[in-house]
Amino acid sequence: MALITISGYPCSGKTKRADQVKAGLEERLKDPSYEGPSLKVVVLSDDVLNVDRSSYDDSRSEKSARGALFTAMQRQMGQGTILILDGMNYIKGFRYQMYCAARELKLRVCTVYVVATPESCKQWNEEREGVKAYNSETLDNLIQRFEEPSSMVRWDSPLFTVLWSDDDVPLDQIWKAVMEGNVKPPNAGTQAVSKAPTDALHTLEHISASTVSAIMAEQASSGGLGGTVTLSLTSTTRPRITLPSRNITLSELQRLKRQFVTVHKKAITLGTVEKGTVDWSEERVAEKFVTYLEENLKP
């Protein structure tokens, strides 16, 4: 349904704002006058995922912490959920990644930017205890690296700014954004790429090699007369191919096989170079290879 991204300095009061948004949305969803779909409001944060503040002390553990948050976000996102992501979300590239994931599922999005001074954040951090407090050097580093959200970029829009001194969040605007905002359809940059099955490479190699062997065997038995013949590759795979009326050498077939396999390996590794779902069955691979040979074998 929607993704609400909370962003701001560490210890700036983001969790307080996330709780205010959650409480306000749930109150409106329970209102007798509400006639929309049945929705649940979920908050995800480092505390919910048991991510220790020390995870941000070095880049490797920090990357793992962000990965844990992103993975949990993907599991929770859906048409029946308003998901509030309570975290620093201080890297614009990470916010863009979350925006793409939401757009892929056709969810509405908005960003709540919680603003507080660095001095206030440091003071509030000192008042915390145990694992909820950041190392002072880590806190300084995170504040310096913070990339402020901007209403000028699509992945931070619509953007609602909440000052540390504000009593509440702009709930009317947030409600309108998650319930009535534009749903941007996925595009080539955000759509999931169709992946080939795990045995696709084996099928590609096996069928192309079997086809070469079958052509050489057919040529030996017919004396290189050419014409349209049926190749028996497996019990269910019997493609037809039109061969030229000449002697085709093994090296020529092997060269074309290598070219064919190289091109299609890229499709297997990267997902697909074609629109829609690619059929990697033995029959389809054989048909593709036979067509490729007919187009590239000289008369």
Coordinates of all heavy atoms in Angstrom, one line a residue, residues 99-150:
Y99 N 13.2 3.2 -2.6 CA 12.1 3.8 -3.5 C 11.9 2.9 -4.7 O 10.7 2.6 -5.1 CB 12.6 5.2 -4.0 CG 11.9 5.7 -5.2 CD1 10.6 6.3 -5.1 CD2 12.4 5.6 -6.4 CE1 10.0 6.8 -6.2 CE2 11.8 6.1 -7.6 CZ 10.6 6.7 -7.4 OH 9.9 7.2 -8.5
C100 N 13.0 2.3 -5.2 CA 12.8 1.4 -6.4 C 12.1 0.1 -6.0 O 11.2 -0.4 -6.7 CB 14.2 1.0 -6.9 SG 15.0 2.4 -7.8
A101 N 12.4 -0.4 -4.8 CA 11.7 -1.6 -4.3 C 10.2 -1.3 -4.1 O 9.4 -2.2 -4.4 CB 12.3 -2.1 -3.0
A102 N 9.9 -0.1 -3.6 CA 8.5 0.2 -3.4 C 7.8 0.4 -4.8 O 6.6 0.0 -5.0 CB 8.4 1.5 -2.6
R103 N 8.5 1.0 -5.7 CA 7.9 1.3 -7.0 C 7.6 0.0 -7.7 O 6.6 -0.1 -8.5 CB 8.8 2.2 -7.8 CG 8.2 2.7 -9.1 CD 9.0 3.8 -9.7 NE 8.5 4.1 -11.1 CZ 9.0 5.0 -11.8 NH1 10.0 5.7 -11.4 NH2 8.5 5.3 -13.0
E104 N 8.5 -1.0 -7.5 CA 8.3 -2.3 -8.2 C 7.0 -2.9 -7.8 O 6.4 -3.6 -8.6 CB 9.5 -3.2 -7.8 CG 9.5 -4.5 -8.5 CD 10.7 -5.4 -8.1 OE1 11.8 -4.8 -7.9 OE2 10.5 -6.6 -8.0
L105 N 6.6 -2.7 -6.5 CA 5.4 -3.3 -6.0 C 4.2 -2.3 -6.1 O 3.1 -2.6 -5.6 CB 5.6 -3.7 -4.5 CG 6.6 -4.8 -4.2 CD1 6.7 -5.0 -2.7 CD2 6.1 -6.1 -4.9
K106 N 4.4 -1.1 -6.8 CA 3.4 -0.1 -7.0 C 2.8 0.4 -5.7 O 1.6 0.5 -5.5 CB 2.3 -0.7 -7.9 CG 2.8 -1.2 -9.3 CD 1.6 -1.7 -10.1 CE 2.1 -2.2 -11.5 NZ 1.0 -2.7 -12.4
L107 N 3.7 0.7 -4.8 CA 3.3 1.3 -3.5 C 3.5 2.8 -3.6 O 4.3 3.4 -4.3 CB 4.2 0.8 -2.4 CG 4.3 -0.8 -2.2 CD1 5.2 -1.1 -1.0 CD2 2.9 -1.4 -2.1
R108 N 2.7 3.5 -2.8 CA 2.8 5.0 -2.6 C 4.0 5.2 -1.7 O 4.2 4.4 -0.8 CB 1.6 5.6 -2.1 CG 0.4 5.5 -3.1 CD -0.8 6.3 -2.5 NE -1.9 6.3 -3.5 CZ -2.9 5.4 -3.5 NH1 -2.9 4.4 -2.6 NH2 -3.9 5.4 -4.4
V109 N 4.7 6.3 -1.8 CA 5.8 6.6 -1.0 C 5.8 8.0 -0.5 O 5.2 8.9 -1.1 CB 7.2 6.3 -1.7 CG1 7.3 4.9 -2.1 CG2 7.3 7.3 -2.9
C110 N 6.4 8.3 0.7 CA 6.7 9.6 1.2 C 7.8 9.5 2.2 O 8.2 8.5 2.7 CB 5.5 10.3 1.8 SG 4.9 9.6 3.4
T111 N 8.4 10.7 2.4 CA 9.6 10.8 3.4 C 9.3 11.8 4.4 O 8.8 12.9 4.2 CB 10.9 11.2 2.6 OG1 11.1 10.3 1.5 CG2 12.1 11.2 3.5
V112 N 9.6 11.4 5.7 CA 9.5 12.3 6.8 C 10.9 12.6 7.3 O 11.6 11.7 7.8 CB 8.6 11.7 8.0 CG1 8.6 12.6 9.2 CG2 7.2 11.4 7.5
Y113 N 11.3 13.9 7.2 CA 12.6 14.3 7.6 C 12.6 15.0 8.9 O 11.9 16.0 9.1 CB 13.1 15.3 6.5 CG 14.5 15.9 6.8 CD1 15.4 15.2 7.6 CD2 14.9 17.1 6.3 CE1 16.7 15.8 7.8 CE2 16.1 17.7 6.5 CZ 17.0 17.0 7.3 OH 18.3 17.5 7.5
V114 N 13.2 14.3 9.9 CA 13.2 14.8 11.3 C 14.4 15.7 11.5 O 15.6 15.2 11.4 CB 13.2 13.7 12.3 CG1 13.1 14.2 13.7 CG2 12.0 12.8 12.0
V115 N 14.3 17.0 11.8 CA 15.4 17.9 11.8 C 15.7 18.3 13.3 O 14.8 18.7 14.0 CB 15.0 19.2 11.0 CG1 16.2 20.2 11.1 CG2 14.7 18.9 9.6
A116 N 17.0 18.1 13.6 CA 17.5 18.5 15.0 C 18.9 19.0 14.8 O 19.6 18.6 13.8 CB 17.4 17.4 16.0
T117 N 19.4 19.8 15.7 CA 20.8 20.3 15.6 C 21.7 19.2 16.0 O 21.4 18.3 16.9 CB 21.0 21.5 16.5 OG1 20.8 21.1 17.9 CG2 20.0 22.6 16.1
P118 N 23.0 19.2 15.5 CA 24.0 18.2 15.9 C 24.2 18.2 17.4 O 24.4 17.2 18.0 CB 25.2 18.6 15.1 CG 24.7 19.3 13.9 CD 23.5 20.0 14.3
E119 N 24.2 19.4 18.0 CA 24.5 19.6 19.4 C 23.4 18.9 20.2 O 23.7 18.2 21.2 CB 24.6 21.1 19.8 CG 25.8 21.8 19.2 CD 25.7 22.0 17.7 OE1 24.5 22.0 17.2 OE2 26.7 22.2 17.1
S120 N 22.1 19.0 19.8 CA 21.0 18.4 20.5 C 21.1 16.9 20.4 O 20.9 16.2 21.4 CB 19.7 18.9 19.9 OG 19.5 20.3 20.1
C121 N 21.5 16.4 19.2 CA 21.6 14.9 19.0 C 22.7 14.3 19.9 O 22.6 13.3 20.5 CB 21.9 14.6 17.6 SG 20.5 15.1 16.5
K122 N 23.8 15.1 20.0 CA 24.9 14.6 20.9 C 24.5 14.6 22.4 O 24.9 13.7 23.1 CB 26.1 15.5 20.7 CG 26.8 15.4 19.3 CD 27.9 16.3 19.1 CE 28.4 16.2 17.6 NZ 29.5 17.2 17.4
Q123 N 23.8 15.6 22.7 CA 23.3 15.7 24.1 C 22.3 14.5 24.4 O 22.5 13.8 25.5 CB 22.6 17.0 24.4 CG 22.0 17.1 25.8 CD 21.3 18.4 26.0 OE1 21.5 19.4 25.3 NE2 20.4 18.4 27.0
W124 N 21.4 14.3 23.5 CA 20.4 13.2 23.7 C 21.1 11.8 23.7 O 20.7 10.9 24.4 CB 19.3 13.3 22.7 CG 18.5 14.5 22.8 CD1 18.2 15.2 23.9 CD2 17.9 15.2 21.7 NE1 17.4 16.3 23.7 CE2 17.2 16.4 22.3 CE3 17.8 15.1 20.4 CZ2 16.5 17.3 21.6 CZ3 17.1 16.0 19.6 CH2 16.4 17.1 20.2
N125 N 22.2 11.7 22.9 CA 22.9 10.4 22.9 C 23.6 10.2 24.2 O 23.6 9.0 24.7 CB 23.9 10.5 21.7 CG 24.7 9.2 21.6 OD1 24.1 8.1 21.3 ND2 26.0 9.2 21.8
E126 N 24.1 11.2 24.8 CA 24.8 11.1 26.1 C 23.8 10.7 27.2 O 24.2 10.0 28.2 CB 25.5 12.4 26.5 CG 26.7 12.7 25.6 CD 27.3 14.1 26.0 OE1 26.7 14.8 26.8 OE2 28.3 14.5 25.3
E127 N 22.5 11.0 27.0 CA 21.5 10.7 28.0 C 21.0 9.2 27.9 O 20.3 8.7 28.8 CB 20.4 11.7 27.9 CG 20.8 13.1 28.3 CD 19.7 14.1 28.0 OE1 18.6 13.7 27.5 OE2 19.8 15.3 28.3
R128 N 21.4 8.6 26.8 CA 21.0 7.2 26.6 C 21.9 6.3 27.4 O 23.0 6.6 27.7 CB 21.0 6.9 25.1 CG 19.9 7.6 24.3 CD 20.0 7.1 22.8 NE 18.9 7.6 22.1 CZ 18.6 7.3 20.8 NH1 19.5 6.5 20.2 NH2 17.6 7.8 20.2
E129 N 21.4 5.0 27.5 CA 22.2 4.1 28.2 C 22.4 2.8 27.4 O 21.6 2.4 26.6 CB 21.4 3.6 29.5 CG 21.2 4.8 30.5 CD 20.5 4.3 31.8 OE1 20.1 3.1 31.8 OE2 20.3 5.1 32.7
G130 N 23.6 2.2 27.7 CA 23.9 0.9 27.1 C 23.9 0.9 25.6 O 24.4 1.7 24.9
V131 N 23.2 -0.2 25.0 CA 23.3 -0.4 23.5 C 22.5 0.6 22.7 O 22.7 0.7 21.5 CB 22.8 -1.8 23.2 CG1 23.7 -2.9 23.8 CG2 21.3 -2.0 23.7
K132 N 21.7 1.4 23.4 CA 20.9 2.4 22.6 C 21.7 3.7 22.4 O 21.3 4.6 21.7 CB 19.7 2.8 23.4 CG 18.6 1.7 23.4 CD 17.3 2.1 24.0 CE 16.2 1.1 23.9 NZ 15.8 0.8 22.6
A133 N 23.0 3.8 22.9 CA 23.8 4.9 22.7 C 24.9 4.6 21.6 O 25.4 3.5 21.5 CB 24.5 5.3 24.0
Y134 N 25.2 5.6 20.8 CA 26.3 5.5 19.8 C 27.6 5.9 20.5 O 27.7 6.8 21.4 CB 26.0 6.4 18.7 CG 24.8 6.1 17.8 CD1 23.6 6.6 18.1 CD2 25.0 5.2 16.7 CE1 22.5 6.3 17.3 CE2 23.9 4.9 15.9 CZ 22.6 5.4 16.3 OH 21.5 5.1 15.5
N135 N 28.7 5.3 20.0 CA 30.0 5.8 20.3 C 30.1 7.2 19.8 O 29.6 7.6 18.7 CB 31.1 4.9 19.6 CG 32.5 5.3 19.8 OD1 32.9 6.3 19.3 ND2 33.2 4.5 20.6
S136 N 30.8 8.1 20.6 CA 30.8 9.5 20.3 C 31.5 9.8 18.9 O 31.0 10.6 18.1 CB 31.5 10.3 21.3 OG 32.9 9.9 21.5
E137 N 32.5 9.0 18.6 CA 33.2 9.2 17.3 C 32.3 8.7 16.2 O 32.2 9.3 15.1 CB 34.5 8.4 17.3 CG 35.6 9.0 18.2 CD 36.9 8.2 18.1 OE1 36.9 7.2 17.3 OE2 37.8 8.6 18.8
T138 N 31.6 7.6 16.4 CA 30.6 7.1 15.4 C 29.5 8.1 15.1 O 29.1 8.4 14.0 CB 30.0 5.8 15.9 OG1 31.1 4.8 16.1 CG2 29.0 5.2 14.9
L139 N 29.0 8.7 16.2 CA 27.9 9.7 16.1 C 28.4 10.9 15.2 O 27.7 11.3 14.3 CB 27.5 10.2 17.4 CG 26.3 11.2 17.5 CD1 25.1 10.6 16.9 CD2 26.1 11.7 18.9
D140 N 29.6 11.4 15.5 CA 30.1 12.5 14.7 C 30.3 12.1 13.2 O 29.9 12.9 12.4 CB 31.5 12.9 15.3 CG 31.4 13.7 16.6 OD1 30.3 14.2 16.9 OD2 32.4 13.7 17.3
N141 N 30.7 10.9 13.0 CA 30.9 10.5 11.6 C 29.6 10.3 10.9 O 29.5 10.8 9.7 CB 31.7 9.1 11.7 CG 31.9 8.5 10.3 OD1 31.1 7.8 9.8 ND2 33.0 8.9 9.7
L142 N 28.6 9.8 11.6 CA 27.3 9.7 10.9 C 26.6 11.0 10.6 O 26.0 11.2 9.5 CB 26.4 8.8 11.8 CG 26.7 7.3 12.0 CD1 25.9 6.7 13.1 CD2 26.6 6.6 10.7
I143 N 26.8 12.0 11.5 CA 26.3 13.3 11.3 C 26.9 14.0 10.1 O 26.3 14.6 9.2 CB 26.4 14.2 12.5 CG1 25.4 13.6 13.6 CG2 26.1 15.6 12.2 CD1 25.5 14.4 15.0
Q144 N 28.3 13.8 10.0 CA 29.0 14.4 8.9 C 28.7 13.8 7.5 O 28.6 14.5 6.5 CB 30.5 14.3 9.1 CG 31.0 15.1 10.3 CD 32.5 14.8 10.6 OE1 33.2 14.1 9.9 NE2 33.0 15.5 11.6
R145 N 28.3 12.5 7.6 CA 28.0 11.8 6.3 C 26.6 11.9 5.9 O 26.2 11.4 4.8 CB 28.4 10.3 6.4 CG 29.9 10.1 6.6 CD 30.2 8.7 7.0 NE 29.5 7.7 6.3 CZ 29.2 6.5 6.7 NH1 29.5 6.1 7.9 NH2 28.6 5.6 5.9
F146 N 25.8 12.5 6.7 CA 24.3 12.5 6.5 C 24.0 13.3 5.2 O 24.5 14.4 5.0 CB 23.6 13.2 7.6 CG 22.1 13.2 7.5 CD1 21.3 12.0 7.8 CD2 21.4 14.3 7.0 CE1 20.0 12.0 7.7 CE2 20.0 14.3 6.9 CZ 19.3 13.2 7.2
E147 N 23.2 12.7 4.3 CA 22.8 13.3 3.0 C 21.4 13.7 3.1 O 20.5 12.8 3.1 CB 23.1 12.3 1.9 CG 24.6 12.0 1.7 CD 24.8 11.0 0.6 OE1 24.0 10.1 0.4 OE2 25.9 11.1 -0.1
E148 N 21.1 15.0 3.2 CA 19.8 15.5 3.5 C 18.8 15.2 2.4 O 19.1 15.4 1.2 CB 19.9 17.0 3.7 CG 18.7 17.7 4.1 CD 18.9 19.2 4.4 OE1 20.0 19.6 4.8 OE2 17.9 20.0 4.1
P149 N 17.6 14.8 2.8 CA 16.6 14.5 1.8 C 16.2 15.8 1.1 O 16.3 16.9 1.6 CB 15.4 14.0 2.6 CG 16.0 13.5 3.9 CD 17.1 14.4 4.1
S150 N 15.7 15.7 -0.2 CA 15.4 16.9 -1.0 C 14.1 16.6 -1.7 O 13.9 15.5 -2.3 CB 16.5 17.2 -2.0 OG 16.0 18.2 -2.9

